[in-house]
Amino acid sequence: MLAGEGPKAITVMWVMTGLSFILVPLRLYTRIFILQALGLDDHVFTLGWIFLLLYTTFCTVAGTHGFGQPISALTIDEAVQAIYTEMIGQTFAVLGMAIAKLSLGIFLLRIVVKPWHRISIWISMTSLSVVSVMTAIIFWIQRLPSESIYDPRVPGRTVVTVTPFSVLLGSWCAVVDFYFAILPWIFIWELNMRFKEKMTIAISLSLGFIAGICGIVRTIELGGLSSSNYTEDTVPLIIWSAVELAVTLICVGIPTVRPLYRRIVHGSTAKESHEGYKKQSGSDPARAQFEFPMRNFGRFARKDDLFTTNASVAETGPVQSFTEGQGDEDLLVAGLRDDGICVRQEIRVERV
C-alpha cells in the first residue's frame, strides 16, 4: 500500500513517463512516413523511454512495499523488498539517462559539419557511457555479497563507496547536457537552412539546458543513498532522476518532430522546409540550393526564392548578365547598372 511520500513520488514519475511517451510515436511517425529516414538515434531514443518506463514500474512496486515511508515503520521483509526493487529501478535510471543523451549525440552526429564536432560528440558519448555503466556496476558491488546492501540480516563487507561515483555521473550528465545544448549554436550556421529555421532548431536543441539543471538538482539529492532511512530519504533523488530522464527525452524529441509540425500547421514537406538536416557535403542533385555570400549569416534560399529576388531587382534597372554555371563552385552573377552605380550580387549553387 502506497503511503507517506510514496504516492507523490509515483504520481510525478508516471506523469513524466506519460509526457515523454507522447514524443515516441510522434518521432517514429515523423521519421518513417515524413522524412523516411529512420536511424539509430530513433531506436536509442525509444530504448531510453523503455528504461524510464521500467524505472517507474519498479519504483511503483517498491512503493507497494514501503518506498516513501520511514524505514522504522516497515517490517524487515517489507524494507528489504522496498530497497531491493528500488535499487533495480535506480539501475534503469542510471543507464537510461546515458541512453537518452546518446540519442541526442547520435542525432547531432547526423548534422555536424566539422571533424572536431564529431570528435567532441564521440568523446562525450563514450565517456558518459563508461561512467554510467561503471556506476551501475559499483552500485551492486559496493558491498559483497550484494544481498548485504539491502538486507541487514546478511553479513557482508564494504568494497567501495558508491556516492563519489554517483556524484561523478550526475555532474558529467549535467556537463554533457550543457555541451550538447551549446554545440548547435556553433555549427548550425553552416547547415543549408533558412536563417529562421536555424534559429528555431538551435533554440529547440538548446532545451537540454533544462535537463542539465535537473541533473544538478538530482546530484545535490544524492545524499539519500547513504542514509539509514533509505526508503524515505531517497524520495527526492528518485523524483529528480525521473524528471531529468523524462526532460532529456522531451528535449531530444521536440526538434525531431518539427517536420510533422510543419506538415500539419503549414502543409509543407520536409524538402520545402529543409527539415532533412542534410550537411553541405551532400550530393543529391534534386535539392539544389543557393547561397547568398553577401549575407553575413549565410542565409540559404530555394530556387523559387532566387527567381523571386531577381524579378524584384530587375524593376530597378536592366539585367545585363545572368549566367548559371555547373558544379558546386560555380557562380550566378547578376550585374545591374543604374545611374552609374554597379550592383553585383553573387549566388553560389550548392548541391545538398
Side-chain angles (χ1 to χ4, degrees), residues 5 15 48 67 103 112 118 122 142 148 172 179 181 185 188 240 259-260 278 325:
E5 296 293 317
V15 168
F67 164 67
S103 175
V112 294
R118 302 181 64 85
W122 274 112
Q142 55 182 304
S148 63
W172 195 239
Y179 177 67
W185 293 95
I188 200 72
W240 280 105
L260 177 61
K278 299 295 185 182

Side-chain angles (χ1 to χ4, degrees), residues 54-345:
L54 292 171
Y55 174 44
T56 302
T57 300
F58 276 99
C59 286
T60 302
V61 175
T64 62
H65 291 291
F67 164 67
Q69 303 178 50
I71 198 169
S72 58
L74 306 175
T75 65
I76 187 65
D77 290 332
E78 288 176 334
V80 168
Q81 286 298 317
I83 296 174
Y84 177 63
T85 51
E86 182 183 342
M87 288 180 62
I88 296 176
Q90 287 176 314
T91 304
F92 284 112
V94 168
L95 298 177
M97 279 182 286
I99 292 173
K101 299 177 200 311
L102 285 178
S103 175
L104 177 56
I106 298 172
F107 172 75
L108 291 175
L109 285 173
R110 300 172 70 172
I111 57 178
V112 294
V113 295
K114 292 185 178 179
W116 78 264
H117 295 158
R118 302 181 64 85
I119 293 173
S120 63
I121 292 172
W122 274 112
I123 291 175
S124 299
M125 294 192 304
T126 303
S127 60
L128 182 59
S129 300
V130 170
V131 174
S132 298
V133 173
M134 180 178 63
T135 302
I137 294 174
I138 293 176
F139 188 53
W140 286 96
I141 65 170
Q142 55 182 304
R143 286 180 59 87
L144 293 177
S146 297
E147 290 82 358
S148 63
I149 301 174
Y150 52 85
D151 191 344
R153 296 170 296 187
V154 178
R157 60 185 180 86
T158 301
V159 176
V160 62
T161 303
V162 71
T163 302
F165 293 93
S166 299
V167 173
L168 173 62
L169 175 62
S171 302
W172 195 239
C173 282
V175 170
V176 172
D177 280 327
F178 289 134
Y179 177 67
F180 283 172
I182 294 173
L183 185 60
W185 293 95
I186 300 175
F187 73 80
I188 200 72
W189 314 112
E190 301 182 36
L191 297 182
N192 293 352
M193 298 177 183
R194 298 187 184 96
F195 177 73
K196 180 180 178 181
E197 296 291 338
K198 293 177 182 180
M199 288 296 297
T200 303
I201 292 173
I203 292 173
S204 61
L205 288 174
S206 296
L207 294 176
F209 278 114
I210 302 175
I213 295 173
C214 293
I216 293 175
V217 177
R218 180 181 67 86
T219 303
I220 295 174
E221 299 294 344
L222 286 171
L225 291 174
S226 57
S227 173
S228 58
N229 188 22
Y230 192 92
T231 53
E232 186 177 39
D233 290 346
T234 54
V235 169
L237 173 62
I238 295 297
I239 293 177
W240 280 105
S241 295
V243 171
E244 181 188 1
L245 179 49
V247 168
T248 300
L249 292 171
I250 293 172
C251 294
V252 171
I254 287 177
T256 59
V257 299
R258 290 193 66 253
L260 177 61
Y261 169 80
R262 294 293 298 263
R263 173 72 63 86
I264 295 174
V265 176
H266 303 291
S268 61
T269 63
K271 287 185 179 181
E272 289 173 345
S273 57
H274 309 298
E275 293 290 353
Y277 304 115
K278 299 295 185 182
K279 302 177 186 177
Q280 290 188 34
S281 59
S283 59
D284 185 1
R287 298 190 62 194
Q289 298 173 342
F290 301 83
E291 178 187 357
F292 292 75
M294 61 191 298
R295 299 294 182 87
N296 57 4
F297 48 75
R299 181 180 181 271
F300 287 79
R302 293 174 297 169
K303 191 170 184 178
D304 54 352
D305 295 333
L306 172 66
F307 293 123
T308 300
T309 301
N310 289 332
S312 62
V313 174
E315 296 177 1
T316 64
V319 178
Q320 294 192 344
S321 64
F322 187 88
T323 59
E324 179 171 355
Q326 302 294 328
D328 292 345
E329 299 299 325
D330 294 333
L331 298 178
L332 297 175
V333 179
L336 305 178
R337 296 186 180 274
D338 186 9
D339 296 332
I341 300 175
C342 179
V343 180
R344 179 181 177 88
Q345 180 172 347

